[in-house]
Amino acid sequence: LYSLLLYQDLIQSKTIKKGDKLPPIFPVVLYNGEQRWNSATELSDLIIDLPGGLEHYKPSAKYLLLDEGCYTNDTLKPLKNLVAAIFRLENAQTPDEVSEVIDNLLDWLKSPEQAIIKRNFTLWIKRVLLSDNKEEDVLYEQANNLMELKVMLADRFSQWKENYKQEYLEKGIEKGEINKERSLLLRQIKLRFGGSFCHTIEPIIVSIASTERLDQIADWIISCQDKHDFQTQVEQLSKT
């Protein structure tokens, strides 16, 4: 459809003169979704088979598919290829991977005639990859080229790593506290309702990761009339 619309526009704008042939179009689909692309790449494959030689008149239109998720970093890394560099940047999981690709681009785009490409990569990295943090957006806007952007990123990488370490530490502490609270609840349940019932209810208690909900269950151990009432309350809580 895009190809036909382009041809239509070329004809209507009289870019193509009467009697001239249409220029060739190389259709490419660049896909970066999480799920793998599973649609047909040839229009005729979507049309039922036609009998009696009519298959020669089936519409045919094919495009080249570039599905980013099909290419691993190990496959892309050896390629001195700007498209591969884009794929690697979009799939980068760590700041170090971003930095490595920028080093490659600085090496590949040395000549003066490549200045526009280098500038466009700088803008793309700032606008697409580094657009989550609005405060840092202001800082990155000051970078005018890949080298300046690399220096700014290098300064940020160490801070990001420290933030990650602190985040994981806090999550570890929180997880440890929740585990302690679960163990205490199970001991209280065993004392109140017996070991057999405690074993029955344990999978539900273990599945709950909210301290607020665990506190609510602790109150029910005291307030519920019997283990059946307690089990009903806990099961309803786990389903919400």
Side-chain angles (χ1 to χ4, degrees), residues 181 185 205 207-220 234-240:
E181 187 166 357
L185 280 179
I205 302 297
S207 69
I208 296 175
S210 166
T211 55
E212 290 79 7
R213 294 193 171 196
L214 292 175
D215 290 340
Q216 178 64 69
I217 293 173
D219 292 339
W220 288 337
V234 172
E235 288 177 347
Q236 289 178 349
L237 180 66
S238 67
K239 293 177 182 178
T240 59

Side-chain angles (χ1 to χ4, degrees), residues 29 31 34 37-38 60 67 70 84 86 92 96 101 112 118 123 128 135 142 153 170 179 188 191 198 222:
V29 171
Y31 174 70
E34 292 185 6
W37 186 275
N38 57 11
S60 177
D67 185 349
C70 290
I86 293 176
D96 289 336
V101 179
K118 189 157 53 176
L123 291 173
V128 177
E135 294 181 359
Q142 301 172 13
L153 284 172
E170 291 174 356
N179 286 338
Q188 292 174 336
L191 290 172
C198 179
I222 300 173

Side-chain angles (χ1 to χ4, degrees), residues 189-202:
I189 292 170
K190 184 177 181 180
L191 290 172
R192 172 78 196 277
F193 302 116
S196 178
F197 176 79
C198 179
H199 181 73
T200 301
I201 205 73
E202 182 175 0

Side-chain angles (χ1 to χ4, degrees), residues 163-176:
N163 291 342
Y164 293 155
K165 290 179 183 177
Q166 182 62 31
E167 180 181 351
Y168 292 143
L169 177 62
E170 291 174 356
K171 287 183 177 179
I173 293 174
E174 181 181 354
K175 184 177 180 180

Side-chain angles (χ1 to χ4, degrees), residues 25-68:
I25 294 177
F26 180 35
V28 180
V29 171
L30 176 59
Y31 174 70
N32 62 355
E34 292 185 6
Q35 302 296 325
R36 298 285 56 79
W37 186 275
N38 57 11
S39 298
T41 58
E42 167 61 67
L43 176 61
S44 61
D45 291 339
L46 300 174
I47 303 173
I48 63 174
D49 293 333
L50 300 174
L54 293 177
E55 69 272 6
H56 298 296
Y57 299 98
K58 279 201 304 186
S60 177
K62 192 172 184 177
Y63 59 86
L64 173 66
L65 171 65
L66 294 178
D67 185 349
E68 291 187 21

Side-chain angles (χ1 to χ4, degrees), residues 27-127:
V28 180
V29 171
L30 176 59
Y31 174 70
N32 62 355
E34 292 185 6
Q35 302 296 325
R36 298 285 56 79
W37 186 275
N38 57 11
S39 298
T41 58
E42 167 61 67
L43 176 61
S44 61
D45 291 339
L46 300 174
I47 303 173
I48 63 174
D49 293 333
L50 300 174
L54 293 177
E55 69 272 6
H56 298 296
Y57 299 98
K58 279 201 304 186
S60 177
K62 192 172 184 177
Y63 59 86
L64 173 66
L65 171 65
L66 294 178
D67 185 349
E68 291 187 21
C70 290
Y71 302 93
T72 66
N73 191 57
D74 291 338
T75 302
L76 298 171
K77 192 172 181 178
L79 302 178
K80 189 177 180 180
N81 183 305
L82 298 182
V83 175
I86 293 176
F87 287 7
R88 290 176 63 196
L89 286 170
E90 288 199 332
N91 295 326
Q93 300 295 318
T94 67
D96 289 336
E97 292 178 1
V98 176
S99 181
E100 183 180 15
V101 179
I102 292 178
D103 282 337
N104 293 150
L105 292 172
L106 287 170
D107 180 51
W108 299 342
L109 303 174
K110 291 180 179 178
S111 59
E113 60 268 21
Q114 295 172 318
I116 294 178
I117 299 177
K118 189 157 53 176
R119 182 167 61 251
N120 287 337
F121 260 102
T122 303
L123 291 173
W124 183 79
I125 292 172
K126 291 193 297 183
R127 303 285 173 81

